[in-house]
Amino acid sequence: MSTMLTIAETAKWLKSNNNYLILTHRRPDGDTVGCAGALAQGLREIGKTAYVLKNPEITPRYATYIDAYIAPDDYKADQVIIVDTASTALFPKNGDAYFNAISLCIDHHASNKFYAEYICLDSVAASCGEVLYELLLELVGSISPICAGCLYVAVSTDTGCFSFANTTANTLRVASLVVAAGAPHVKLNRKLFRTKTRERVKIESLIYAGMTFHFDGKVAIASISNDMMDEAGASEDDVDDIASIPGAIKGVLAGITIRELTSPKDCKVSVRTSPTVDANAIAAHFGGGGHAMASGFTCDKPIADTKEAIVEVLREFFPEESQQTSK
Amino acid sequence: MSTMLTIAETAKWLKSNNNYLILTHRRPDGDTVGCAGALAQGLREIGKTAYVLKNPEITPRYATYIDAYIAPDDYKADQVIIVDTASTALFPKNGDAYFNAISLCIDHHASNKFYAEYICLDSVAASCGEVLYELLLELVGSISPICAGCLYVAVSTDTGCFSFANTTANTLRVASLVVAAGAPHVKLNRKLFRTKTRERVKIESLIYAGMTFHFDGKVAIASISNDMMDEAGASEDDVDDIASIPGAIKGVLAGITIRELTSPKDCKVSVRTSPTVDANAIAAHFGGGGHAMASGFTCDKPIADTKEAIVEVLREFFPEESQQTSK
């Protein structure tokens, strides 16, 4: 069980120690990477030694924000910190050695498992970047342009450029303050939110072309086969957040995305719903689960059969609607 | 020539008059509509009579924010105000009678023609909504949830949910404050930024399928024929901001969108570029013009010939690159 620290107590602890190693979570996103970069930079600004553990799953999209802080192989840390990581199950693939060695966890997940010695947690924050902002202000006294850029990456990516439902007034307040502090938000927005790869465009086009609508347009089903991925030349980076596509169509209450796995006889299914439809209950029919508006399951059938099975189950959720299918 | 008023002077003028009619601009967007709704509501909150002139071009996307304030046919206003409108050329189609009758213009366009008696202008603001926020705070003393919702629509739509290059720290600050004041930003974001019509999805899919790349992928050309619009069942609402699509692809420095006009022998062309390519110079080759990064022209040729002519002209702008075309 961790000891909870306030922002002020966390800053005091950081000031009274030295030689930090900072960890990011598995499949690192903008929030964990931005926070790690900002914290390493902030600690260096007050004269501390601080490095970030290289994450074997880092992608080019985010590597640039921590490249300058990657720990050399022979680095010996006195204190290990992890950011934006709710449980040890989410530790990076090379993080096993740190399971019982985390001095401080800085996080915003209500589900945090309190595995670290100390924890600085704000479970209302939309992003860990919002926690880091307050912490760096306390620790350093001001936010440098480099910290501001990292924090902008953190808060903006975790909220879909402030468009996701988790965005709060405080998210926007912190974004405003880091932009004022010199975050290059125009360049970052263009890179993070306003640019698609040609492969992404191609796979989206194929997905749209094959999408079907059911139950008076209340259900949209998208399929992604390995052939489609090959045809588009798409990588995993190119299909980031692709499960949100069918659910973002006007009138759709349940957006289903069927992704063929390595074996063409197995599929992974993502379910995204509006508040009136229980995504968890849909997934439960197939032995899966998740949240009320986002769930998932796997199905040991080819895409076409998986789709048929899902439509069959959905009849229970949309009993009133005519059951025609359209493209 | 208009008399410039500060926020405080504008609020004082609004308090000392009554019976307002508020105009929005031609092809009304979220900024002009959100500002008109917020101003009408704010004026009513201090006991004034205020209505909005029905704009014949209003679309369902934005009508909801001013429906409650539409002026009855026999309404007689003492003072006419227009928001977010730089010149009389942008007056609504039913606005001719007001060309020389505008008491107050509230705007954020540096290009404002000073056609009104009084003007309250902040040419640094990304949206007119930011000006309205300050004005309503001064006028009413606080921002009601209804005003906050309208202002959120204004600032968020004019900045592409805070992702466009015009977004500033102040845009985000105002957004934060109106969310804190009760703007239903989650619902608004979902409606305004996270939902596409099926027709939009279909036309995007057709556009992506037919897009071609030139000059080592530095140029992307999208075409929209009337047949494609028919096939998708798409309306003008469905192709809003469609010209930004080719320019948003990674590596593309010039994104060209060719739109077939009513006659299949005429096309309208939009050019969107990165800072290193002069969109205005490209358009000038065809007798068109615009800005350094966004321009347009018309071409009296069918789509295929228009495309050929553009690629020919672009050779001058991309002399170094191999000139292959790919899909």
Side-chain angles (χ1 to χ4, degrees), chain B residues 49-105:
Chain B
T49 300
Y51 287 100
V52 175
L53 180 71
K54 187 168 175 67
N55 190 316
E57 295 182 299
I58 191 85
T59 59
R61 183 174 168 85
Y62 297 122
T64 177
Y65 309 109
I66 45 171
D67 275 349
Y69 313 102
I70 296 298
D73 288 342
D74 60 350
Y75 178 60
K76 293 273 178 276
D78 292 333
Q79 306 290 350
V80 184
I81 304 173
I82 194 163
V83 288
D84 192 41
T85 306
S87 75
T88 53
L90 299 168
F91 272 37
K93 286 189 171 175
N94 56 344
D96 288 5
Y98 304 100
F99 271 10
N100 294 303
I102 303 292
S103 305
L104 172 68
C105 171

Coordinates of all heavy atoms in Angstrom, one line a residue, chain B residues 49-105:
Chain B
T49 N -34.4 43.9 -24.8 CA -35.1 43.2 -25.8 C -34.1 42.9 -26.9 O -33.5 43.9 -27.4 CB -36.3 44.0 -26.4 OG1 -37.2 44.2 -25.3 CG2 -37.0 43.2 -27.5
A50 N -33.9 41.7 -27.3 CA -32.9 41.4 -28.3 C -33.3 40.2 -29.1 O -33.8 39.2 -28.6 CB -31.5 41.1 -27.6
Y51 N -33.2 40.3 -30.4 CA -33.5 39.2 -31.3 C -32.4 39.0 -32.4 O -31.6 39.9 -32.6 CB -34.8 39.5 -32.1 CG -36.1 39.4 -31.2 CD1 -36.7 40.5 -30.6 CD2 -36.6 38.1 -30.9 CE1 -37.8 40.4 -29.8 CE2 -37.7 38.0 -30.1 CZ -38.3 39.2 -29.6 OH -39.4 39.0 -28.8
V52 N -32.4 37.9 -33.0 CA -31.5 37.6 -34.1 C -32.2 37.5 -35.4 O -33.3 36.9 -35.5 CB -30.8 36.2 -33.8 CG1 -29.9 35.8 -35.0 CG2 -30.0 36.3 -32.5
L53 N -31.7 38.1 -36.4 CA -32.3 38.1 -37.8 C -32.1 36.7 -38.3 O -31.0 36.2 -38.4 CB -31.7 39.1 -38.7 CG -32.3 39.1 -40.1 CD1 -33.7 39.7 -40.1 CD2 -31.3 39.9 -41.1
K54 N -33.2 36.0 -38.8 CA -33.1 34.7 -39.3 C -32.2 34.8 -40.6 O -32.4 35.6 -41.4 CB -34.5 34.2 -39.8 CG -34.5 32.7 -40.2 CD -35.9 32.1 -40.3 CE -35.8 30.7 -40.9 NZ -35.1 29.8 -40.0
N55 N -31.2 33.9 -40.6 CA -30.3 33.8 -41.7 C -30.8 32.8 -42.7 O -30.9 31.6 -42.3 CB -28.9 33.5 -41.2 CG -27.9 33.7 -42.3 OD1 -28.0 33.3 -43.4 ND2 -26.7 34.3 -41.9
P56 N -31.1 33.2 -44.0 CA -31.7 32.2 -44.9 C -30.8 31.0 -45.2 O -31.2 30.0 -45.7 CB -32.0 33.0 -46.1 CG -31.2 34.2 -46.0 CD -31.0 34.5 -44.6
E57 N -29.5 31.1 -44.9 CA -28.6 30.1 -45.2 C -28.2 29.2 -44.0 O -27.3 28.4 -44.0 CB -27.3 30.6 -45.8 CG -27.5 31.3 -47.2 CD -26.2 31.8 -47.7 OE1 -25.6 32.7 -47.1 OE2 -25.8 31.3 -48.8
I58 N -28.9 29.4 -42.9 CA -28.6 28.7 -41.7 C -28.8 27.2 -41.9 O -29.7 26.8 -42.6 CB -29.4 29.1 -40.5 CG1 -28.9 28.5 -39.1 CG2 -30.9 28.8 -40.6 CD1 -27.8 29.3 -38.5
T59 N -27.9 26.3 -41.4 CA -28.0 24.9 -41.6 C -28.4 24.3 -40.2 O -28.2 24.9 -39.2 CB -26.7 24.3 -42.0 OG1 -25.7 24.6 -41.0 CG2 -26.2 24.8 -43.4
P60 N -29.0 23.0 -40.2 CA -29.4 22.4 -39.0 C -28.3 22.3 -38.0 O -28.5 22.3 -36.8 CB -29.9 21.0 -39.4 CG -30.2 21.1 -40.9 CD -29.3 22.2 -41.4
R61 N -27.0 22.2 -38.5 CA -25.9 22.1 -37.6 C -25.8 23.2 -36.6 O -25.4 23.0 -35.4 CB -24.6 22.0 -38.5 CG -23.3 21.9 -37.7 CD -22.1 21.7 -38.8 NE -20.8 21.8 -38.2 CZ -20.2 20.8 -37.6 NH1 -20.7 19.6 -37.6 NH2 -19.0 21.0 -37.1
Y62 N -26.2 24.4 -37.0 CA -26.0 25.5 -36.1 C -27.3 26.2 -35.7 O -27.3 27.0 -34.8 CB -25.1 26.6 -36.7 CG -23.7 26.1 -36.9 CD1 -23.1 26.1 -38.2 CD2 -22.9 25.6 -35.8 CE1 -21.8 25.6 -38.4 CE2 -21.7 25.1 -36.0 CZ -21.1 25.1 -37.3 OH -19.8 24.6 -37.5
A63 N -28.4 25.9 -36.4 CA -29.7 26.6 -36.1 C -30.1 26.6 -34.7 O -30.6 27.6 -34.1 CB -30.8 26.1 -37.0
T64 N -29.8 25.5 -34.0 CA -30.3 25.3 -32.6 C -29.8 26.3 -31.6 O -30.5 26.6 -30.6 CB -29.9 23.8 -32.2 OG1 -30.3 23.7 -30.8 CG2 -28.4 23.6 -32.3
Y65 N -28.7 27.0 -31.9 CA -28.1 27.9 -31.0 C -28.8 29.3 -31.1 O -28.5 30.2 -30.2 CB -26.6 28.0 -31.1 CG -26.0 26.6 -31.1 CD1 -25.5 26.1 -32.2 CD2 -26.1 25.9 -29.9 CE1 -25.0 24.8 -32.2 CE2 -25.6 24.6 -29.9 CZ -25.1 24.0 -31.1 OH -24.7 22.7 -31.1
I66 N -29.6 29.6 -32.1 CA -30.3 30.9 -32.2 C -31.8 30.7 -32.4 O -32.5 31.7 -32.4 CB -29.7 31.7 -33.4 CG1 -29.5 30.9 -34.7 CG2 -28.4 32.4 -32.9 CD1 -29.2 31.8 -35.9
D67 N -32.3 29.5 -32.5 CA -33.7 29.3 -32.7 C -34.6 30.1 -31.7 O -35.6 30.6 -32.1 CB -34.1 27.8 -32.6 CG -33.9 27.1 -34.0 OD1 -33.7 27.8 -35.0 OD2 -33.9 25.9 -34.0
A68 N -34.1 30.1 -30.5 CA -34.9 30.8 -29.4 C -35.0 32.3 -29.5 O -35.7 32.9 -28.8 CB -34.4 30.4 -28.0
Y69 N -34.1 32.8 -30.4 CA -34.0 34.3 -30.4 C -34.4 34.9 -31.8 O -34.2 36.1 -32.0 CB -32.6 34.7 -30.1 CG -32.0 34.0 -28.9 CD1 -31.1 33.0 -29.1 CD2 -32.3 34.4 -27.6 CE1 -30.5 32.3 -28.0 CE2 -31.8 33.8 -26.5 CZ -30.9 32.7 -26.7 OH -30.4 32.1 -25.6
I70 N -34.9 34.1 -32.7 CA -35.2 34.6 -34.0 C -36.3 35.7 -34.0 O -37.4 35.5 -33.3 CB -35.7 33.4 -35.0 CG1 -34.5 32.4 -35.2 CG2 -36.2 34.0 -36.3 CD1 -33.3 33.0 -35.8
A71 N -36.0 36.8 -34.6 CA -36.9 38.0 -34.6 C -38.2 37.7 -35.3 O -38.2 37.1 -36.4 CB -36.2 39.2 -35.3
P72 N -39.4 38.0 -34.7 CA -40.6 37.9 -35.5 C -40.6 38.9 -36.7 O -39.9 39.9 -36.7 CB -41.7 38.3 -34.4 CG -41.0 39.0 -33.3 CD -39.5 38.6 -33.4
D73 N -41.5 38.6 -37.7 CA -41.4 39.5 -38.9 C -41.7 40.9 -38.6 O -41.1 41.8 -39.3 CB -42.5 38.9 -39.9 CG -42.1 37.6 -40.5 OD1 -40.9 37.3 -40.4 OD2 -43.0 36.9 -41.0
D74 N -42.5 41.2 -37.6 CA -42.9 42.6 -37.4 C -42.0 43.3 -36.3 O -42.3 44.4 -35.8 CB -44.3 42.7 -37.0 CG -44.6 41.9 -35.7 OD1 -43.7 41.2 -35.2 OD2 -45.7 42.0 -35.1
Y75 N -40.9 42.7 -36.0 CA -40.0 43.3 -35.0 C -39.3 44.6 -35.5 O -38.8 44.6 -36.6 CB -38.9 42.3 -34.5 CG -37.9 42.8 -33.5 CD1 -38.4 43.2 -32.3 CD2 -36.6 42.9 -33.8 CE1 -37.5 43.7 -31.3 CE2 -35.7 43.4 -32.8 CZ -36.2 43.8 -31.6 OH -35.3 44.3 -30.7
K76 N -39.5 45.6 -34.6 CA -38.8 46.9 -35.0 C -37.6 47.1 -34.0 O -37.9 47.3 -32.8 CB -39.8 48.0 -34.9 CG -41.0 48.0 -35.9 CD -40.6 48.7 -37.2 CE -41.7 48.6 -38.2 NZ -41.6 47.4 -39.0
A77 N -36.5 47.1 -34.6 CA -35.3 47.3 -33.7 C -34.9 48.7 -33.7 O -35.1 49.5 -34.7 CB -34.1 46.4 -34.3
D78 N -34.3 49.2 -32.6 CA -33.7 50.5 -32.5 C -32.3 50.5 -32.9 O -31.7 51.4 -33.5 CB -33.8 51.1 -31.1 CG -35.3 51.3 -30.7 OD1 -36.1 51.6 -31.6 OD2 -35.6 51.3 -29.5
Q79 N -31.6 49.4 -32.6 CA -30.2 49.2 -32.9 C -29.9 47.9 -33.6 O -30.4 46.9 -33.1 CB -29.3 49.3 -31.6 CG -29.6 50.6 -30.7 CD -29.1 51.9 -31.4 OE1 -28.4 51.9 -32.3 NE2 -29.5 53.0 -30.8
V80 N -29.1 48.0 -34.6 CA -28.7 46.7 -35.3 C -27.2 46.4 -35.1 O -26.4 47.3 -35.3 CB -29.0 46.8 -36.8 CG1 -28.7 45.5 -37.5 CG2 -30.4 47.2 -37.1
I81 N -27.0 45.2 -34.7 CA -25.6 44.8 -34.4 C -25.3 43.6 -35.3 O -26.1 42.8 -35.6 CB -25.5 44.3 -32.9 CG1 -26.0 45.3 -31.9 CG2 -24.1 43.8 -32.6 CD1 -26.1 44.9 -30.5
I82 N -24.0 43.5 -35.7 CA -23.6 42.4 -36.5 C -22.4 41.8 -35.9 O -21.5 42.5 -35.4 CB -23.4 42.7 -38.0 CG1 -23.3 41.4 -38.9 CG2 -22.2 43.7 -38.2 CD1 -23.5 41.7 -40.4
V83 N -22.3 40.5 -35.9 CA -21.1 39.8 -35.3 C -20.3 39.0 -36.3 O -20.8 38.4 -37.2 CB -21.6 38.9 -34.2 CG1 -22.1 39.7 -33.0 CG2 -22.7 37.9 -34.6
D84 N -19.0 39.1 -36.1 CA -18.1 38.2 -36.9 C -18.1 38.4 -38.4 O -17.9 37.5 -39.2 CB -18.4 36.7 -36.6 CG -17.4 35.8 -37.1 OD1 -16.2 36.1 -36.9 OD2 -17.7 34.7 -37.6
T85 N -18.4 39.7 -38.8 CA -18.6 40.0 -40.2 C -17.7 41.1 -40.6 O -17.9 42.3 -40.2 CB -20.1 40.3 -40.4 OG1 -20.9 39.3 -39.9 CG2 -20.4 40.5 -41.9
A86 N -16.7 40.8 -41.5 CA -15.6 41.8 -41.8 C -16.1 42.9 -42.8 O -15.5 44.0 -42.8 CB -14.4 41.1 -42.4
S87 N -17.1 42.6 -43.7 CA -17.4 43.6 -44.7 C -18.9 43.4 -45.0 O -19.5 42.3 -44.8 CB -16.6 43.5 -45.9 OG -17.0 42.3 -46.7
T88 N -19.5 44.4 -45.7 CA -20.9 44.3 -46.1 C -21.1 43.3 -47.2 O -22.2 42.7 -47.3 CB -21.4 45.7 -46.6 OG1 -20.5 46.1 -47.6 CG2 -21.4 46.7 -45.5
A89 N -20.0 42.9 -47.9 CA -20.1 41.8 -48.9 C -20.4 40.5 -48.2 O -20.9 39.6 -48.9 CB -18.7 41.7 -49.6
L90 N -20.2 40.4 -46.9 CA -20.5 39.1 -46.2 C -21.8 39.2 -45.5 O -22.1 38.3 -44.7 CB -19.3 38.8 -45.2 CG -18.0 38.6 -45.9 CD1 -16.8 38.6 -44.9 CD2 -17.9 37.3 -46.7
F91 N -22.6 40.2 -45.7 CA -23.9 40.3 -45.0 C -24.7 39.1 -45.5 O -24.5 38.6 -46.6 CB -24.6 41.6 -45.4 CG -24.2 42.8 -44.5 CD1 -22.9 42.9 -43.9 CD2 -25.1 43.7 -44.1 CE1 -22.6 43.9 -43.1 CE2 -24.8 44.7 -43.2 CZ -23.5 44.9 -42.7
P92 N -25.7 38.7 -44.6 CA -26.6 37.6 -45.0 C -27.4 38.1 -46.3 O -27.5 39.3 -46.6 CB -27.4 37.4 -43.8 CG -27.4 38.7 -43.1 CD -26.1 39.3 -43.3
K93 N -27.9 37.1 -47.0 CA -28.6 37.3 -48.2 C -29.8 38.3 -48.0 O -30.2 39.0 -49.0 CB -29.1 36.0 -48.9 CG -27.9 35.3 -49.5 CD -28.4 34.1 -50.3 CE -27.2 33.5 -51.1 NZ -27.5 32.3 -51.8
N94 N -30.4 38.3 -46.8 CA -31.5 39.2 -46.5 C -31.1 40.4 -45.8 O -31.9 41.1 -45.1 CB -32.6 38.4 -45.8 CG -32.1 37.8 -44.5 OD1 -30.8 37.7 -44.3 ND2 -33.0 37.4 -43.6
G95 N -29.8 40.8 -45.9 CA -29.2 41.8 -45.1 C -29.0 43.1 -45.8 O -28.5 44.1 -45.2
D96 N -29.4 43.2 -47.1 CA -29.1 44.4 -47.9 C -29.7 45.7 -47.2 O -29.0 46.8 -47.3 CB -29.8 44.3 -49.3 CG -29.1 43.3 -50.1 OD1 -28.1 42.7 -49.6 OD2 -29.4 43.2 -51.3
A97 N -30.8 45.6 -46.6 CA -31.4 46.8 -46.0 C -30.6 47.4 -44.8 O -30.8 48.5 -44.4 CB -32.8 46.4 -45.4
Y98 N -29.6 46.6 -44.4 CA -28.8 47.0 -43.2 C -27.4 47.5 -43.6 O -26.6 47.9 -42.7 CB -28.7 45.9 -42.2 CG -30.1 45.4 -41.8 CD1 -30.6 44.2 -42.3 CD2 -30.8 46.1 -40.8 CE1 -31.8 43.7 -41.9 CE2 -32.1 45.6 -40.4 CZ -32.6 44.4 -41.0 OH -33.8 44.0 -40.6
F99 N -27.1 47.6 -44.9 CA -25.8 48.1 -45.3 C -25.3 49.3 -44.6 O -24.2 49.4 -44.2 CB -25.8 48.3 -46.8 CG -25.5 47.1 -47.6 CD1 -25.4 45.8 -47.0 CD2 -25.2 47.2 -49.0 CE1 -25.1 44.7 -47.8 CE2 -24.9 46.0 -49.7 CZ -24.9 44.8 -49.1
N100 N -26.2 50.3 -44.5 CA -25.8 51.5 -43.8 C -26.5 51.8 -42.5 O -26.6 52.9 -42.1 CB -26.1 52.7 -44.8 CG -25.2 52.6 -46.0 OD1 -24.0 52.6 -46.0 ND2 -25.9 52.5 -47.2
A101 N -26.9 50.7 -41.9 CA -27.7 50.8 -40.7 C -27.2 50.0 -39.5 O -27.9 49.8 -38.6 CB -29.1 50.4 -41.0
I102 N -25.9 49.7 -39.6 CA -25.3 48.9 -38.5 C -24.8 49.8 -37.4 O -23.9 50.6 -37.7 CB -24.2 48.0 -39.0 CG1 -24.7 47.0 -40.1 CG2 -23.6 47.2 -37.8 CD1 -25.7 46.0 -39.6
S103 N -25.3 49.7 -36.2 CA -24.8 50.6 -35.1 C -23.5 50.1 -34.6 O -22.6 50.8 -34.3 CB -25.9 50.6 -34.0 OG -27.1 51.0 -34.4
L104 N -23.4 48.7 -34.5 CA -22.3 48.1 -33.8 C -21.9 46.9 -34.5 O -22.7 46.0 -34.8 CB -22.6 47.8 -32.3 CG -21.6 47.0 -31.5 CD1 -20.3 47.9 -31.3 CD2 -22.1 46.6 -30.2
C105 N -20.6 46.8 -34.8 CA -20.0 45.5 -35.3 C -19.0 45.0 -34.3 O -18.2 45.7 -33.8 CB -19.3 45.8 -36.6 SG -18.3 44.4 -37.2

